[in-house]
Amino acid sequence: MRDVAKCEQSLQELNLMWRVIEASAKMNCPVEAKTILPTMAATRSGFSRLERELVSSLVEEKVRNVLAEIGTKAQYVIDIVVRNLFERTADVGFLATDRELCNFVAGITDSADAARYRLREYRNKYTVYDEILLLDTEGNVLVQIDPSTPLEHSADPLIRQTLESDTYVEIFRATDLRPGKDRALIYARRMHHPQTGAVIGVLCLCFHFEEEMAGIFCAHRDPEARANMLLLDGDNRVISSADALWIPPGTQVPVNTGGQPQLMMFCGREYLVRTFTSGGYQGYPGPAGWQGQVMIPVEVAFTGIVSDVLSRLSPELTEGLLSHAHSFCPPLYDIMTAAKTIQRIVWNGQVMTAGQRGEMQKLKTILDQISETGNRSNELFAQSIHDLYQAVLASSMRDAEFTTGLLVDLLDRNLYERSDDCRWWALTPELRAALAAPDIDQATAAKLNEILAYINGLYTVYTRLFVYDRHGRIVAATGDALESVIGSSIDADTLAQVMALRTQQQYHVSSFAPSALYGGRDTYIYHAAIRALGNDGEVVGGIGIVFDSAPELRNMLDAGLAGKDKMSALYVDRRGRILSSTDASRPTGSMLDIDPALLQVANGEGRSGVTVHDGQYAIVAVSASNGYREFKVSDGYKEDVIAVVFQCFGALNHGNQQNAGSDFHLESEAASADGLEYATFFSDGGLFAISAANVMEAVPYSAVLPTSMGNRAEQIGVLGLSRDDQHKEFIWVFDLGQLIRGTRSAVTGSSQVMIVRHGAHTIGLLVDELHAVPQFNPAQIIHTPFAMQGESMLVSQVIKANGGKLLIQSIEVERLFAYVVDGTIPLPPPMSDAAPAQQEKQQEQRQLMAA
């Protein structure tokens, strides 16, 4: 962490400066410095503590960001694999009951070429398989589709295990069924005689595991390849690696399932590691023990592209986000608090020596050094805050953007399976024969309903399957309200699209819109043409499958968020119309209020930024779908979906958030012998001043004790002051903002309490933030006209600073104490030598003030 090391060195240099200043004061002017030595000692010890806290916070936040970023990717690796393999368990269960294949294995038909053709048609739809085999009960291979590895027989125990099981069997190991591979991921299911029900053989679906993992790693590994993405088994051995030369399969690696911020040694290098297991998907747990992991060497974990995200934000957004640092980045908030502590200590030192003359002049050099070193300290803290703030935002934006990429990938992968299903089921011989007949009698319709019900029972992502004839009339269906569905017709445009499909590889998808077949809700309906048996392949009808979009899309969004705090996600189309949302206030079908430029993001790409969302400061990220395998890539289907993520950091702050900005920087002017020193501070978005001679010190607002004993709205608590005799004096704290404008001030991390004394009375004043303790020449101080109400009740002078470009309102101490002690404001004396018109105006103002 080179930037942290540089910051640490600067902090050590400043720490030495504080020690030198304290030692100089003790040696050169011990008597004069007596009043500020305790403050200087507190500054030095406080700075030492803040030095340690700042470096620790920087390190902790950087490590946390890296672990969060690699953790999101590690969880994605295992989750996407498990979701994909869940579909394979459904596939093998359905294909094992295919009547044509069962007839062939049972010996009812004897055309191996026909069986092979059917298996290849299946492979053409479900391209995730690289081999499909049919075997008899003795392990003899009846048909296979991969000519590169011809097989006659298998002695693998999988055959016997599958024959004895009434569900699917999953293996991932070396097997003679795939002689060209070290390991194969195979899903097997026994087959039954279509007439007697006897067990007659085994179907094996061989998943193209290497190709699938290569696609995942290629799409989602970081572009600089600084980290390695891995899939592990239950013994923490690598199953698949994004970089096999770096960490080859079979290697045992350290894991970090708890997400602890610790370095882990592997092959002589230290790594940050994040490991996730799968929580399963729809009851399918995934292969036993499999884990997703990302490892990044510590020497490159904190390097990369330098972000300039802050430079692209408006000052209002920057400061608004910063005001919520305590919620989205506690270390950042701690550093901000530390910076305010240094500022307050320096401010107090300047206040305590303000107006001192004579021998106290010896302190001027010391005080100048205090001021200069304090400014350098504040600048260093401010730069550290800026760097960490930028790192936090950049990391959060990258994570949000990656999450949207994951969401569109989940969607494309899921809908890919839907396009496969409709095309394969359209090849069902019973459906083809029934729809090719001149008429469908009641018995045939019942048989079709039975077939659809069986399929729908295996594939629960659909609420309805339906079959329609060449005229678009629905002749069989599953789901609710069948009496209103069967006999109805699909719309003419959809029918025309289906009838125009030229090959068995083509399909049609309805737009995401409300459908009576889905209870009037929005969904996709996938259609494929059903063709007559024979060589001509005339289209005789079609099959429609109604995707259960409401729970399925929401499930994908929830999976992508994976419990991320204060984050919501949506799927929208190019117009911003919502397809699904985790935000209950934004239902499906409504329009999302979002920057139109974000909806134009290119396919396969993502963007992120900072915005205001629902009255909150938030990161917004988007990614546009890019398809999966041939789906939306080369199959002619085009339907862009954009995933949107909002991560909120806190409510919009409508107050002035740039009190200490450049607008309030004081330019130095030549001081005169009769110059007056003022303590300046912020309240209600403006810069105020009060005579430094009346200010004792400032303390953080956290020191105030709330109480209900006060009889005035401006009294907000009490403050205990320690005295030389070790006794405490309790004083009332008043809200200056409420004294000025009549409404309670908002308390922030910058809020301070100034302790002000006048005569025998001492009070505390809540202000928004401290500023400086400058000296002003008498010529810069002018009286204001006699104002009537509000702040003018306490302000009778203004200070012209920066050549008159900045006016500082000066609180009159006598008026302030008169008001807080007995609730009255003394009227200004009449000006006897004023012009008659001016005297008349002054009299009117006095009457208004009195009223």
Side-chain angles (χ1 to χ4, degrees), residues 230 232-239 247-255 265-267 293 295:
L230 308 169
L232 311 180
D233 64 16
D235 295 323
N236 303 332
R237 293 190 181 277
V238 178
I239 299 172
I247 305 178
T251 306
Q252 192 168 33
V253 294
V255 299
M265 185 68 71
F266 173 69
C267 291
Q293 177 160 302
M295 301 174 64

Side-chain angles (χ1 to χ4, degrees), residues 714 734-742 765 794 816 819-820:
E714 301 91 346
F734 292 83
D735 181 354
L736 181 60
Q738 188 153 9
L739 288 171
I740 291 175
R741 66 179 180 271
L765 285 181
L794 304 178
L816 171 66
Y819 184 68
V820 299

Side-chain angles (χ1 to χ4, degrees), residues 71 135 195 291 358 391 411 458 505 537 556 595 757 768 850:
L135 303 96
Q195 298 170 3
Q291 307 164 89
L411 180 69
L458 289 174
Q505 288 297 104
M556 295 177 218
D595 182 358
R757 174 171 291 174
D768 293 341

Side-chain angles (χ1 to χ4, degrees), residues 73-254:
K73 297 186 177 184
Q75 186 161 29
Y76 166 74
V77 170
I78 185 62
D79 283 351
I80 203 67
V81 168
V82 169
R83 282 172 171 265
N84 194 321
L85 299 186
F86 164 76
E87 299 285 351
R88 315 292 63 93
T89 66
D91 288 350
V92 73
F94 177 69
L95 191 58
T97 63
D98 182 84
R99 182 170 291 272
E100 288 193 20
L101 298 179
C102 288
N103 283 339
F104 170 73
V105 176
I108 299 175
T109 59
D110 59 0
S111 175
D113 289 340
R116 186 177 296 107
Y117 174 79
R118 186 156 180 80
L119 290 179
R120 284 178 174 165
E121 280 296 313
Y122 187 85
R123 166 64 175 78
N124 290 340
K125 311 296 184 295
Y126 299 85
T127 56
V128 295
Y129 301 112
D130 60 357
E131 173 70 296
I132 306 176
L133 305 101
L134 296 178
L135 303 96
D136 64 18
T137 56
E138 301 301 320
N140 297 311
V141 177
L142 303 177
V143 173
Q144 66 177 116
I145 64 170
D146 184 5
S148 65
T149 56
L151 295 174
E152 293 183 357
H153 179 81
S154 172
D156 196 297
L158 170 66
I159 308 302
R160 180 55 49 194
Q161 184 182 357
T162 305
L163 292 172
E164 295 174 354
S165 174
D166 60 357
T167 184
Y168 70 89
V169 177
E170 176 186 68
I171 65 165
F172 181 66
R173 54 174 172 76
T175 171
D176 60 6
L177 289 165
R178 298 298 284 147
K181 295 188 174 184
D182 294 333
R183 292 171 299 182
L185 181 56
I186 298 178
Y187 291 82
R189 187 73 183 256
R190 71 186 183 188
M191 303 175 72
H192 296 266
H193 195 288
Q195 298 170 3
T196 67
V199 177
I200 55 174
V202 173
L203 165 72
C204 292
L205 296 180
C206 303
F207 184 64
H208 203 333
F209 177 75
E210 296 79 10
E211 182 183 76
E212 178 66 18
M213 295 308 302
I216 292 174
F217 294 148
C218 180
H220 299 289
R221 190 183 180 193
D222 66 295
E224 296 93 3
R226 297 176 304 141
N228 202 353
M229 301 179 78
L230 308 169
L231 184 66
L232 311 180
D233 64 16
D235 295 323
N236 303 332
R237 293 190 181 277
V238 178
I239 299 172
S240 185
S241 171
D243 190 337
L245 293 177
W246 180 359
I247 305 178
T251 306
Q252 192 168 33
V253 294

Side-chain angles (χ1 to χ4, degrees), residues 658-666 682 687 771 802 805-807:
Q658 280 201 287
N659 287 338
S662 59
D663 291 343
F664 298 103
H665 174 72
L666 296 181
F682 295 101
L687 187 59
H771 182 243
N802 298 350
K805 298 177 183 178
L806 175 64
L807 295 180

